[in-house]
Amino acid sequence: MSPAPPREPATHRQAPGVARRRENLPGYLFLSPWLLGLAVITAIPMLLSLYLSFTNYDVLTPLTEAEWVGWDNYRRMFTDDPSYWHSVRVTVTFALVAVPLKLAAALGVALLLNRVFRGVGLFRGLFYLPSLLGGSVALAIVWVSMFNRDGAFNSLLGVFGIEGAPWVNDPKWALETLMLLAIWQFGAPMIIFLAGLKQVPAELYEAASVDGAGAWRQFVHITLPMLSPVIFFNLVLETINGFQGFTSAFVISNGEGGPVDSTLMYTLNLYINGFVRLDMGYASAMAWVFLLAIGLITVVLFRTGRFWVHYSDSEGR
Amino acid sequence: MRRYLRVLVLLLIVVVVLYPLIWMVGTSVKSPQEIASNIGLVPETFTPSNFTNGWNNFDVSFGRFFLNSALVSILTVVGNVISCLLAAYALGRLRFRLRGLWFAVMIGTLLLPGHVLIIPQYILFRTLGWVGGDFPYLPLLVPQFLATEAFFVFLMVQFMRGIPRELDEAATIDGASPYRIFQHVILPLSRPALVTTAIFSFIWTWNDFFRQLVYLSELNDYTAPVALTLFIDSTSESAVGPMFAMSLLSLVPVFLFFVAFQRLLVEGINTSGLKG
């Protein structure tokens, strides 16, 4: 996923005199499965859900009998459904805490690894493993067991004489447990950071050393600016992912968002409204607000990115 | 000195990162009494019966759930590889009207959160009679045969752009059509991108939960992740060991892929920013 605009491969220029060859028929033939998918799996459902968000459709009655209710779903969402705002707060809190910490962990470990000369591949692989496994139901189950009242985490605390909380059953701590699970999966952004660090020219550090800049100043004035496109890329990716957490919230609360709605992530709330309460019109409205919110956040990220992302050449990343 | 300190810190992080996984392996062979009392990594009594008990814990054996998962994952791989390859060849190598527009749309769908579409897609597939139908996996599989996984299209477009244009031009001068170029030039050279797509596609589908939860309602049709959630319902102490055993088993295929293709997976992330 890249923010780069589509462009012709720079290496290729049509030789002068050769008529620009068009490949309309083969082009559309090869594209046809994708086009069909775009229409049937993406575009039509999107429009359908926009329509449904103005109805009280509930799956059980035929689509044609869904009643038009105007802006009722949206009005209810914003003014008359405390659990809606609650789930917004839970999701935003989750993303605001987990995403920066995950990126910080990823960058920190990448910086450590960048200076190690042997065994980098092994470390990199081991750190990446949680990113592959962490999104599964199986791992969420293990995580929840680990943070039970009598789970492994509390007995570890017990070694130090600290009495732990019943983390996953405590509304004060359940969401934090999920954040920790997200941070544990720092490996994927770490690998991207590591590749970015390799691109920073060593001469810059040498010149800074000659000028007497210490490690911290080199980090602030060389590493961070040179790495800013990669930081930005990871930030966009992880933020969008952070808002969509579902599996771990489902497992920790057995699909209900508990304890006391403390893990009611937006997508889980959407699932409950759509597929448990069968209030699909309302859930469609939720989905559209979600889409607009994610779009808005992405736009804001790109806007603010102009102020702190430095591209070293005009071509972009 | 500082070098050793650095390696020491890294080793410490390795321990923290791997601890939950090792603990999972240990707990999967602990007896019910031990699960409550011994939270250490190493079990005192080796209890392999957790695996047989877990396997037969429900009316349908876990073998069935794993087979269902494998079926969905493998067919998804086939669908993604074929359909994304075709789309990527068009978007990455051919010139046709509105190509720039379609490319932009494809990038747009990359950012589209999947949860937004789940409700109308569900309604659509339900209307078609595919939900809970004769082959209940149609709603999970048909989209994958229509290149809706934009990540993979993008990954392959990026890859194909790296294949020298001169090859196409030489072939064109020799009279080869775009179809022949696809078959004899692009397809063989795109192997690495296809393998990366196949691996990620398999792992993601194997781990996927949301869509499988929504579309599968008969115990017989459950995939492994959906079946695992059944364990959460049962609160009895004796179910913890079997639950861990089956959780562990369900991660084995992903782990094997990781061991076999680690380098490719890492490169895959770097070329496209794919998330693991």
Side-chain angles (χ1 to χ4, degrees):
Chain A
M1 184 163 68
S2 158
R7 56 173 193 258
E8 288 283 336
T11 50
H12 176 71
R13 287 278 179 279
Q14 198 75 33
V18 178
R20 194 169 158 76
R21 198 162 40 98
R22 280 279 182 191
E23 296 151 325
N24 280 332
L25 181 64
Y28 275 95
L29 267 178
F30 277 101
L31 201 58
S32 55
W34 179 83
L35 277 172
L36 186 65
L38 178 72
V40 177
I41 309 293
T42 308
I44 292 172
M46 270 183 87
L47 294 175
L48 181 65
S49 79
L50 184 62
Y51 165 76
L52 288 174
S53 75
F54 294 99
T55 70
N56 63 359
Y57 181 63
D58 66 356
V59 183
L60 303 175
T61 49
L63 202 53
T64 44
E65 283 170 36
E67 213 175 299
W68 183 265
V69 295
W71 290 93
D72 269 12
N73 288 327
Y74 292 92
R75 203 174 296 130
R76 183 172 131 214
M77 195 187 314
F78 289 126
T79 60
D80 204 24
D81 182 0
S83 86
Y84 176 79
W85 284 111
H86 182 77
S87 73
V88 170
R89 262 196 308 279
V90 168
T91 312
V92 170
T93 311
F94 178 85
L96 278 182
V97 177
V99 172
L101 287 180
K102 183 178 185 179
L103 291 183
L107 181 57
V109 177
L111 285 169
L112 277 174
L113 263 188
N114 197 35
R115 297 289 191 83
V116 173
F117 297 101
R118 280 163 68 189
V120 175
L122 182 67
F123 277 121
R124 197 175 55 176
L126 289 177
F127 291 145
Y128 178 53
L129 189 55
S131 295
L132 278 184
L133 305 176
S136 63
V137 169
L139 218 114
I141 286 177
V142 172
W143 204 261
V144 169
S145 309
M146 213 164 59
F147 288 92
N148 260 335
R149 174 178 284 288
D150 41 34
F153 185 65
N154 274 350
S155 52
L156 185 72
L157 289 181
V159 173
F160 299 101
I162 306 167
E163 197 192 332
W167 310 101
V168 290
N169 298 312
D170 185 340
K172 271 203 300 241
W173 290 105
L175 190 64
E176 276 77 356
T177 321
L178 297 188
M179 291 172 180
L180 213 56
L181 175 54
I183 297 164
W184 183 64
Q185 301 168 51
F186 67 85
M190 182 207 71
I191 285 172
I192 300 173
F193 278 137
L194 209 50
L197 284 171
K198 293 265 178 287
Q199 303 293 319
V200 183
E203 302 92 75
L204 289 179
Y205 293 110
E206 283 156 21
S209 288
V210 170
D211 290 345
W216 174 251
R217 289 196 55 178
Q218 290 187 19
F219 174 69
V220 173
H221 294 289
I222 299 173
T223 310
L224 279 186
M226 292 300 286
L227 212 54
S228 59
V230 184
I231 297 175
F232 178 72
F233 176 76
N234 270 335
L235 180 69
V236 173
L237 205 69
E238 293 297 334
T239 305
I240 294 176
N241 282 325
F243 276 97
Q244 297 184 64
F246 177 82
T247 303
S248 61
F250 185 97
V251 169
I252 198 178
S253 65
N254 203 2
E256 287 166 5
V260 204
D261 284 354
S262 57
T263 61
L264 189 64
M265 295 283 284
Y266 199 102
T267 47
L268 183 55
N269 198 9
L270 191 139
Y271 169 81
I272 292 170
N273 275 302
F275 293 100
V276 179
R277 302 192 184 128
L278 300 182
D279 202 347
M280 294 225 164
Y282 187 57
S284 295
M286 282 182 69
W288 265 92
V289 173
F290 189 60
L291 177 66
L292 295 179
I294 296 260
L296 192 70
I297 290 163
T298 312
V299 169
V300 168
L301 281 177
F302 272 90
R303 281 283 158 85
T304 55
R306 285 182 196 165
F307 298 107
W308 59 271
V309 179
H310 305 272
Y311 291 105
S312 49
D313 57 30
S314 56
E315 210 209 340
R317 258 170 63 80
Chain B
M1 191 59 214
R2 287 189 63 164
R3 244 175 89 182
Y4 289 111
L5 193 70
R6 201 170 277 134
V7 173
L8 199 72
V9 173
L10 282 171
L11 285 175
L12 208 71
I13 301 173
V14 169
V15 171
V16 173
V17 163
L18 293 189
Y19 188 87
L21 300 174
I22 298 167
W23 182 70
M24 174 189 202
V25 176
T27 309
S28 70
V29 286
K30 281 180 191 166
S31 65
Q33 297 83 351
E34 230 190 300
I35 283 169
S37 57
N38 168 21
I39 38 67
L41 292 177
V42 185
E44 281 152 16
T45 52
F46 182 67
T47 318
S49 61
N50 282 340
F51 283 86
T52 45
N53 289 345
W55 193 266
N56 300 313
N57 199 68
F58 306 109
D59 295 340
V60 177
S61 113
F62 238 88
R64 177 70 194 246
F65 302 140
F66 282 129
L67 274 181
N68 291 341
S69 267
L71 178 76
V72 171
S73 303
I74 290 167
L75 287 177
T76 297
V77 168
V78 173
N80 272 330
V81 166
I82 296 173
S83 67
C84 296
L85 177 72
L86 297 178
Y89 178 57
L91 291 172
R93 302 294 286 199
L94 298 178
R95 284 189 216 87
F96 53 93
R97 291 181 70 125
L98 301 181
R99 190 194 66 159
L101 171 75
W102 295 126
F103 185 83
V105 170
M106 190 271 290
I107 293 293
T109 58
L110 263 180
L111 296 164
L112 197 67
H115 301 89
V116 173
L117 295 173
I118 194 96
I119 288 174
Q121 281 174 358
Y122 176 85
I123 294 165
L124 179 81
F125 294 138
R126 204 171 177 275
T127 315
L128 293 170
W130 289 1
V131 178
D134 294 334
F135 187 61
Y137 306 115
L138 276 181
L140 297 171
L141 293 173
V142 169
Q144 314 298 333
F145 279 83
L146 297 175
T148 49
E149 207 65 78
F151 270 123
F152 299 133
V153 180
F154 180 66
L155 177 120
M156 290 196 213
V157 168
Q158 292 294 86
F159 186 88
M160 285 182 196
R161 282 178 171 174
I163 300 174
R165 281 271 171 184
E166 287 75 15
L167 293 176
D168 301 25
E169 275 157 19
T172 310
I173 290 166
D174 289 348
S177 66
Y179 311 101
R180 284 187 68 89
I181 294 175
F182 173 74
Q183 195 189 340
H184 295 292
V185 179
I186 302 296
L187 183 60
L189 289 175
S190 298
R191 268 252 294 281
L194 297 183
V195 174
T196 308
T197 298
I199 297 165
F200 272 110
S201 187
F202 183 91
I203 293 178
W204 287 353
T205 314
W206 186 269
N207 279 344
D208 179 41
F209 174 56
F210 193 68
R211 282 161 23 91
Q212 296 172 11
L213 172 75
V214 165
Y215 287 118
L216 306 177
S217 49
E218 296 287 327
L219 187 63
N220 253 318
D221 306 330
Y222 275 11
T223 52
V226 184
L228 279 176
T229 60
L230 295 176
F231 277 115
I232 312 172
D233 292 326
S234 59
T235 45
S236 77
E237 284 279 294
S238 62
V240 176
M243 175 173 83
F244 267 72
M246 290 305 108
S247 296
L248 179 66
L249 267 192
S250 79
L251 292 181
V252 166
V254 177
F255 185 76
L256 290 180
F257 267 97
F258 166 77
V259 172
F261 298 107
Q262 203 213 103
R263 180 182 288 272
L264 259 175
L265 291 171
V266 168
E267 279 165 13
I269 306 176
N270 276 336
T271 46
S272 63
L274 285 169
K275 223 185 96 53

